[in-house]
Every structure is written in C-alpha cells, then in structure tokens.
Amino acid sequence: MNDPVLQGTPEPVASAQYSWGGEMTLVQTIVETLSSASGRAPEELQPLHHVVDVDALETIFGPRGDGQLRPVTGEISFVVENHEVVVKSHGRVLVHRAD
C-alpha cells in the first residue's frame, strides 16, 4: 500500500494539462510530468503500472466508448519515486515532492 496522500502540499514542482483525445496518452503525460519534476529521463523512471492501475486511470476519467466525456469529478493520487502524482478528472496532472 502506498504512503498516505499528502495533505496541504505546496505548489507542484511540475504540472501539465492532459487533453482527452490529444496526441499523448494520459500515461505519457504523467510520465513526462514526473520526468520534468524528477530531472530524470522517462525511461529511467519506475514503470507506473508498478504503483497504479494505469488502465483504470484511463477508464475512470477517459471518454466513454462513444466519445462522450464522463460526468465524473475528482482526483486520484499516488506516490512514485518520492513524488506524489495527482491526476484530476479535468486532465490536470500535478507532481509534488513527497520526501
């Protein structure tokens, strides 16, 4: 189980806006944002599927099979490599230091 999600954290060290149906997948956006925050190349990072169900992220927040956006609001947070990653339902990806 991951460490508890950080409460009242300061400004993120990196952030990005994911666009559903854009050129990058949500996972790619998360990895690029985490890479920027950590100063490490994406291929040097721990694979996300080791800490979170990446398919579930896409399913929960992504559009339905008919392309309609889901009427879901909220966020999912997880800790990876000393960083808290927050994925918001509207596509915002925030990365905070967790150490």
Side-chain angles (χ1 to χ4, degrees):
M1 184 173 212
N2 288 340
D3 295 329
V5 175
L6 303 175
Q7 299 296 321
T9 55
E11 289 294 313
V13 292
S15 66
Q17 180 64 47
Y18 174 70
S19 176
W20 299 107
E23 292 182 21
M24 290 179 61
T25 67
L26 177 58
V27 171
Q28 289 170 322
T29 301
I30 293 169
V31 169
E32 289 295 325
T33 308
L34 188 56
S35 172
S36 176
S38 68
R40 296 173 58 199
E43 59 273 6
E44 295 175 348
L45 299 172
Q46 177 182 11
L48 284 185
H49 68 269
H50 288 185
V51 295
V52 69
D53 185 336
V54 293
D55 292 332
L57 286 176
E58 294 277 354
T59 300
I60 292 168
F61 292 145
R64 295 181 174 133
D66 63 4
Q68 294 292 322
L69 293 179
R70 295 179 191 277
V72 136
T73 58
E75 63 186 42
I76 295 175
S77 301
F78 54 93
V79 176
V80 59
E81 298 199 5
N82 297 320
H83 289 86
E84 178 193 28
V85 178
V86 180
V87 181
K88 297 186 175 271
S89 58
H90 56 72
R92 193 79 175 148
V93 176
L94 307 168
V95 178
H96 302 272
R97 290 198 203 302
D99 51 7

